Amino acid sequence: MSDSLSTQGAPTAPNLWIRPLALMTLVQIAATSSILALTALAPEAAESLGIGAHWIGYQISLVYFSGMFASGFAGVVVETLRAERVIRLELAIFVLGLLVLATGQPVLMVLVSLLFGVGYGLNNPASSVILHRHTPPARQSLAFSIKQSGMPLGAVVAHVLLPALAVALGLGWQSALVLAAVPPAGLLLRSLLVGRPEPIRRGAALEGIWRRMLREQRAILSNPRSRTLAILGCLYSALQLIATAFIVVMPVDQGWTLVAAGRVAAASQMLGAAGRIGLGVAADHLGGFRTLALIGGLAGSILLSLFWLGSFPAPLQVALLAGLGGVASGWNGVFLAAAARGAPKGKVGANTGALLVYTFVGVILAPSCFAFIYGLVGDYGLGFSLFSGVGFLGAALSWGQMRAQAREVLPA
């Protein structure tokens, strides 16, 4: 098998799934660091453009809003162009987008943010096809979780490396964005030079994108297992975003220094990467829905305990806040593996893309919902505790689906 992004054909040895897994993990790191590049450089870029740094929130919203729609039509794109070719398209989008962002032209930056969402929305459906094709069934939750660990690792790369290039080395935010395009460009070049994707399947797009999207959504909602996964994707993505977005402001509100809170946030990101891998191992032994139930229960319990955070010893406060990141971010790989296993034959990309629409819904709605709750109660600890119901609901739904599947396999 060629050492490239083109990974067609079944593996002929038990360990050949490692190579496509490594490649898809690198692609995930490049994708995440690309869409967060401007976020990491927001203060410098905002000063140069003469706007407030808070405007970066609108840019991220544009990315995820566009990504939601891209996930919806990802199935037909992957089936038409083939997964390896879609990965190439995604990498080209990030290279071009980062270079355009570096121009500092506001209108172009808005358009590129929408384009970034397309690339990001296509990433998981395409990579899921590749990983599902090459990974042994007993290792799929682990493989998908390792690949998803590229998300927090990409965030660390963006928020550590790019500010250092822009400020510490004095290159400026625009030059840092140009250098951020080097990793996706390298992966794209490697793919173009080595390997041949399968031929384009032109007939896959004849039905029409919108009609196809609606049909795939009906298929998701009419199947109890897929319907449960869709709800879990919405709930758990909301949990993850809340844990990420407010993990700094809450301790600062309770008297922590910004530096101390930032260190806990960094530890939370690293535990998020480790947690994805650990929970992937657990899912391969316990089962996907049992592990998703465990994730919801643990996340709900930690969120509930944050109401009393100020009364706990400092080490316990750090453990709870950092542990929340490890648990709330650990669901992605288990979820994607379950989506791939439950997909009809040849429909892994379509099934994954249709389900990921609901994760984007959770990402878009969660900040507003939490802000509304905080506006009512005026306390971050109480807001987190009230939000714990999201985790407990996810645990209950996962447990119910696990029991339903167990009843299906019992003899009549």
Side-chain angles (χ1 to χ4, degrees):
M1 188 170 84
S2 60
D3 187 14
S4 73
L5 289 178
S6 180
T7 53
Q8 66 210 53
T12 56
N15 62 344
L16 286 189
W17 61 280
I18 300 297
R19 186 173 296 170
L21 170 60
L23 289 167
M24 292 304 100
T25 303
L26 289 174
V27 169
Q28 182 66 66
I29 293 173
T32 303
S33 62
S34 294
I35 68 166
L36 294 179
L38 192 59
T39 303
L41 298 167
E44 290 287 313
E47 182 179 356
S48 173
L49 296 172
I51 59 175
H54 67 279
W55 280 81
I56 194 64
Y58 295 106
Q59 190 258 350
I60 289 296
S61 294
L62 283 175
V63 171
Y64 284 116
F65 184 76
S66 175
M68 178 179 66
F69 287 98
S71 288
F73 63 73
V76 66
V77 175
V78 172
E79 288 185 23
T80 301
L81 299 181
R82 304 298 187 176
E84 291 81 8
R85 196 173 280 106
V86 172
I87 294 293
R88 292 178 177 179
L89 173 62
E90 165 199 347
L91 290 169
I93 285 174
F94 294 135
V95 173
L96 175 63
L98 288 166
L99 295 178
V100 172
L101 284 179
T103 65
Q105 298 297 317
V107 174
L108 293 178
M109 295 173 82
V110 169
L111 294 177
V112 162
S113 297
L114 293 171
L115 190 61
F116 269 2
V118 173
Y120 204 66
L122 294 174
N123 176 55
N124 277 323
S127 60
S128 290
V129 170
I130 294 171
L131 291 181
H132 182 68
R133 181 193 306 159
H134 292 280
T135 308
R139 294 288 182 268
Q140 289 204 355
S141 292
L142 173 60
F144 279 79
S145 296
I146 291 175
K147 180 259 178 185
Q148 288 301 109
S149 70
M151 292 181 67
L153 292 177
V156 170
V157 169
H159 287 100
V160 173
L161 180 61
L162 295 184
L165 291 172
V167 180
L169 297 183
L171 297 179
W173 66 275
Q174 291 168 296
S175 296
L177 286 174
V178 172
L179 291 175
V182 172
L187 288 169
L188 176 59
L189 180 62
R190 185 185 185 88
S191 172
L192 292 172
L193 293 177
V194 185
R196 299 176 183 175
E198 296 177 354
I200 292 176
R201 183 188 171 200
R202 301 186 185 279
L206 293 179
E207 185 179 355
I209 289 179
W210 290 105
R211 185 178 299 177
R212 175 73 171 269
M213 286 175 60
L214 292 174
R215 182 167 60 82
E216 290 169 355
Q217 288 301 319
R218 285 195 295 268
I220 291 293
L221 298 177
S222 64
N223 182 285
R225 184 182 187 278
S226 297
R227 188 166 59 242
T228 300
L229 279 174
I231 298 172
L232 290 175
C234 183
L235 295 176
Y236 285 178
S237 64
L239 282 180
Q240 179 181 338
L241 193 68
I242 292 303
T244 302
F246 295 97
I247 197 170
V248 170
V249 295
M250 178 186 176
V252 169
D253 185 66
Q254 296 193 357
W256 291 39
T257 67
L258 182 60
V259 172
R263 288 173 179 169
V264 171
S268 175
Q269 288 284 352
M270 297 307 295
L271 280 177
R276 291 175 191 222
I277 298 173
L279 289 165
V281 173
D284 282 330
H285 290 83
L286 302 177
F289 280 105
R290 189 187 298 271
T291 305
L292 289 169
L294 176 65
I295 291 169
L298 287 174
S301 298
I302 295 175
L303 285 169
L304 184 63
S305 71
L306 294 184
F307 178 69
W308 299 277
L309 184 70
S311 63
F312 295 148
L316 181 56
Q317 293 185 39
V318 172
L320 286 172
L321 290 171
L324 178 62
V327 175
S329 298
W331 64 279
N332 307 70
V334 180
F335 172 86
L336 289 173
R341 280 194 298 266
K345 185 176 181 180
K347 300 292 183 181
V348 171
N351 195 64
T352 302
L355 284 170
L356 285 173
V357 169
Y358 299 93
T359 71
F360 280 104
V361 171
V363 167
I364 292 170
L365 293 180
S368 299
C369 290
F370 190 87
F372 177 76
I373 291 174
Y374 178 78
L376 291 177
V377 302
D379 181 82
Y380 284 108
L382 181 55
F384 275 123
S385 296
L386 293 174
F387 221 81
S388 67
V390 174
F392 293 134
L393 176 58
L397 291 172
S398 301
W399 189 263
Q401 185 58 41
M402 184 193 72
R403 297 292 298 272
Q405 288 183 322
R407 287 194 296 268
E408 290 175 2
V409 300
L410 289 176

